[in-house]
Amino acid sequence: SWGLKCPIITSNWKGTGQTTRLVLQASCLGEIVDRHSYFRGREPMLGAVGRGILMRAFDQQAGRAFCISEWNSSVDGLYAPETVPLMASVAALEGWDALFQFCASAATWEVYQQGLTITPGHYALYPLAAMIFRRGDIRPGILVYERRRSPGYQFSFQKEQLKVPPEVIAVGRVQNAYVKAPTGDLFRQGLVGRCWDREEGVVRASTGQLEWHYKGLWMRLNSERTQGAFGALAGKTVQCDDVTVETTNPFCAILVTAMEKKPIRRAGRLLVAAVGRSQNMGVPGAQDSARGGRPPCLMEPVTGKLSIRTPLGKVYALDAMGYRIGEVAAERDGERLVFRMEGKPQVLYYELAE
């Protein structure tokens, strides 16, 4: 014996059809099932539940830890405000165990390959993703779908087909289980029906903390400690329990989180992330974004208004490193503190303090 004890992570290899389902079953021989996934589309993932990376939710295995050790989107910052909070939110709802974004190849934001890049806009949202995913501000949902796979199916030539609508991943957890004989799948169809408004194009999580407006290209988060929205928010007034968001930015993320384990309305410090679109120099449009461009990376400032239920009275604009740039004018409206985001240079965050 080498005297070493550690979890065994299995292969992230993905084939097609029968090969993939057999590899996924073999992954259960280890403790951690790992996947790689990239989205190289030219539209936001928010436009369809399960579009792109998030379909990997159907690779989760019962009784095993699950992670995605490589993931990214290739739209070079045009929809960057959705990528990090969307992955963190769905991963938290699904009860995943780890996320590792790929790849920070250089501090100059150069495209790595096939349009893959991490912009400053991705990094700016990591603190909020940590609260959503690692701190657990978005709770795991209940199990809504378990696909039960028997040896007869696993070793057959039947085509691999999804048996439920992908919208289930915005309601609660999904997973695969392996059984000795053909057994009916678990599917909480009634719950999915209650959580999914097909006409309006909205799916609400079973926890009540996440609301995916796929027709409108945006998502609302409404937990006790993290609230706000991201996506196509221009012209909308997004209301959460303690936070109201207004902006004219066509695509952005505006999220408020408590900096301690207390609800927003009672926390002694709050952090606001306000991140717009980003684009490398020399990239004329979305259809050309995979060509890479060059540094520096242009960041779109976020403008709008925030109303937050809080006893705190001071608002400070922060730079990308979290240092205070200056105080922001705010006014009291009953239990709420209201201030405007003016889109000043270098401002990606705001701090609320006593």
Side-chain angles (χ1 to χ4, degrees), residues 18 30 72 109 130 164 177 195 239-240 285 296 313:
Q18 299 93 324
N72 208 339
W109 323 119
V164 295
C195 292
Q239 294 184 333
C240 305

Side-chain angles (χ1 to χ4, degrees), residues 214-238:
Y214 57 88
K215 284 188 177 180
L217 307 180
W218 63 283
M219 179 177 284
R220 183 181 77 137
L221 301 183
N222 192 26
S223 74
E224 285 190 336
R225 294 182 296 199
T226 296
Q227 298 176 26
F230 54 92
L233 303 181
K236 296 179 176 66
T237 299
V238 180

Side-chain angles (χ1 to χ4, degrees), residues 38-297:
Y38 297 95
F39 180 61
R40 294 182 171 88
R42 288 290 174 264
E43 61 279 321
M45 289 186 288
L46 281 168
V49 179
R51 174 182 286 166
I53 304 168
L54 298 173
M55 286 298 286
R56 296 284 69 78
F58 291 99
D59 292 345
Q60 188 162 212
Q61 309 296 300
R64 293 293 182 271
F66 184 80
C67 78
I68 299 185
S69 63
E70 287 189 18
W71 58 273
N72 208 339
S73 175
S74 65
V75 193
D76 195 26
L78 290 180
Y79 300 116
E82 75 169 1
T83 308
V84 170
L86 180 59
M87 285 295 291
S89 300
V90 174
L93 181 67
E94 291 296 324
W96 295 352
D97 297 277
L99 292 173
F100 302 94
Q101 190 172 10
F102 185 88
C103 140
S105 57
T108 51
W109 323 119
E110 295 171 359
V111 171
Y112 177 69
Q113 61 179 8
Q114 296 181 304
L116 298 175
T117 185
I118 300 180
T119 72
H122 289 102
Y123 284 123
L125 289 164
Y126 281 177
L128 279 294
M131 301 303 188
I132 292 167
F133 181 64
R134 288 185 59 86
R135 190 170 69 178
D137 287 4
I138 298 295
R139 299 189 305 272
I142 67 170
L143 182 63
V144 294
Y145 177 60
E146 180 179 83
R147 186 163 186 177
R148 293 168 177 168
R149 299 168 176 269
S150 66
Y153 173 75
Q154 286 293 96
F155 291 94
S156 74
F157 289 97
Q158 293 183 50
K159 186 177 180 180
E160 187 76 11
Q161 292 181 325
L162 191 62
K163 293 184 176 182
V164 295
E167 283 76 9
V168 300
I169 68 174
V171 176
R173 293 184 294 114
V174 299
Q175 65 184 25
N176 295 283
Y178 300 97
V179 293
K180 294 180 179 180
T183 306
D185 295 343
L186 181 152
F187 180 34
R188 301 185 190 277
Q189 189 171 3
L191 174 62
V192 173
R194 292 192 296 273
C195 292
W196 183 10
D197 187 331
R198 296 170 185 255
E199 184 175 343
E200 294 295 324
V202 180
V203 185
R204 296 172 180 85
S206 58
T207 61
Q209 297 179 315
L210 181 155
E211 197 172 77
W212 190 328
H213 295 252
Y214 57 88
K215 284 188 177 180
L217 307 180
W218 63 283
M219 179 177 284
R220 183 181 77 137
L221 301 183
N222 192 26
S223 74
E224 285 190 336
R225 294 182 296 199
T226 296
Q227 298 176 26
F230 54 92
L233 303 181
K236 296 179 176 66
T237 299
V238 180
Q239 294 184 333
C240 305
D241 289 345
D242 303 306
V243 174
T244 301
V245 174
E246 297 178 35
T247 183
T248 57
N249 283 66
F251 207 92
C252 65
I254 302 175
L255 296 168
V256 181
T257 193
M259 295 302 289
E260 53 191 345
K261 288 190 175 182
K262 292 181 180 180
I264 286 173
R265 65 183 66 181
R266 292 194 288 108
R269 287 180 66 209
L270 299 175
L271 177 68
V272 178
V275 179
R277 298 175 297 180
S278 54
Q279 190 69 284
N280 278 351
M281 294 293 289
V283 179
Q287 298 302 319
D288 301 300
S289 62
R291 298 179 188 176
R294 62 185 185 279
C297 184

Side-chain angles (χ1 to χ4, degrees), residues 288-354:
D288 301 300
S289 62
R291 298 179 188 176
R294 62 185 185 279
C297 184
L298 182 66
M299 298 289 296
E300 181 178 53
V302 173
T303 59
K305 185 172 76 172
L306 270 174
S307 171
I308 304 173
R309 181 181 287 118
T310 176
L312 303 175
K314 297 286 187 179
V315 181
Y316 299 95
L318 309 181
D319 64 15
M321 302 300 292
Y323 292 106
R324 291 178 179 178
I325 297 175
E327 190 170 346
V328 177
E331 59 184 26
R332 176 63 58 183
D333 182 11
E335 293 183 313
R336 291 175 172 264
L337 193 66
V338 182
F339 67 95
R340 299 199 66 83
M341 299 174 289
E342 297 181 349
K344 292 185 177 180
Q346 300 185 42
V347 177
L348 291 175
Y349 305 108
Y350 298 87
E351 175 194 4
L352 277 67
E354 294 181 351

Side-chain angles (χ1 to χ4, degrees), residues 1-7:
S1 171
W2 290 90
L4 176 65
K5 292 183 179 180
C6 64

